[in-house]
Amino acid sequence: MTIEEALRQKNFVSPYNKATVNLLLTHSWLTELHNPVFKSLGLTKEQASVLRALEFSNSNKVNINYISERMLDKNSNVSRLIDKLENRNLISRKTSESDKRVAEITITPEGTSVFLEIEKNMEDIDHKLNQFSDFEIEQLNILLDKLRNTESIV
């Protein structure tokens, strides 16, 4: 379905405006696909993002800043997310022995299990991108990176 069909809109201010609206619509579509996966595991997308950051860390112990830098949603309250995940025993938090001001956060075996369940379900969603050739998907990634790397308009 084209964006014109989805929104029942024939004209856009410009091709750039159409692309912006198209990206927002696609984000919404992807969110609708992902949310049931997170909900079935009792998580939010932000909590899943914390688990992802911990699972892919090169170290067993990371701090809040490390997680914040790797969040998909940069406006997330990471401290609150960590509290909720710790209450569910998906992560553990301990005070650093070398610096008592720093909390060392690790993913627990239960957290890894939940993360792997997320990843398994995400594979089904990722297959929706199989309609693209390897070249097209690489170009899409390049273009999206290029867009995010433009100078801030704020």
Side-chain angles (χ1 to χ4, degrees):
M1 174 182 302
T2 66
I3 188 167
E4 290 85 358
E5 294 167 336
L7 299 179
R8 296 184 178 119
Q9 180 177 338
K10 292 183 180 181
N11 300 313
F12 291 86
V13 174
S14 69
Y16 299 98
N17 173 254
K18 180 178 177 179
T20 298
V21 173
N22 211 339
L23 285 166
L24 291 170
L25 179 64
T26 303
H27 171 266
S28 179
W29 173 73
L30 285 168
T31 298
E32 287 177 26
L33 292 175
H34 286 91
N35 280 342
V37 172
F38 302 138
K39 188 174 182 178
S40 71
L41 297 166
L43 296 172
T44 64
K45 68 179 179 177
E46 293 82 9
Q47 290 169 335
S49 187
V50 170
L51 292 178
R52 173 179 291 284
L54 291 169
E55 188 65 29
F56 288 113
S57 70
N58 293 328
S59 169
N60 291 334
K61 302 172 186 174
V62 300
N63 61 34
I64 289 176
N65 288 338
Y66 175 93
I67 294 169
S68 295
E69 292 169 357
R70 286 154 181 81
M71 293 293 292
L72 296 176
D73 181 358
K74 300 296 184 189
N75 295 320
S76 296
N77 183 336
V78 177
S79 295
R80 185 178 52 81
L81 295 170
I82 288 170
D83 290 342
K84 290 186 177 196
L85 292 169
E86 185 177 31
N87 288 339
R88 288 192 51 199
N89 197 34
L90 300 178
I91 65 167
S92 67
R93 174 176 31 189
K94 295 182 178 152
T95 303
S96 170
E97 291 181 17
S98 61
D99 185 347
K100 301 295 183 199
R101 298 169 295 169
V102 175
E104 295 174 336
I105 303 156
T106 58
I107 192 165
T108 64
E110 293 88 351
T112 295
S113 177
V114 168
F115 176 76
L116 293 174
E117 188 67 26
I118 292 169
E119 288 296 292
K120 185 177 87 176
N121 287 294
M122 291 300 158
E123 287 178 19
D124 295 335
I125 295 170
D126 290 346
H127 286 302
K128 294 191 180 298
L129 297 176
N130 282 347
Q131 62 186 310
F132 295 111
S133 69
D134 289 347
F135 175 78
E136 288 171 326
I137 202 69
E138 185 59 35
Q139 288 302 303
L140 177 61
N141 282 314
I142 289 168
L143 291 170
L144 292 172
D145 288 345
K146 183 177 180 180
L147 177 63
R148 280 190 322 281
N149 288 321
T150 59
E151 290 185 33
S152 176
I153 58 173
V154 178

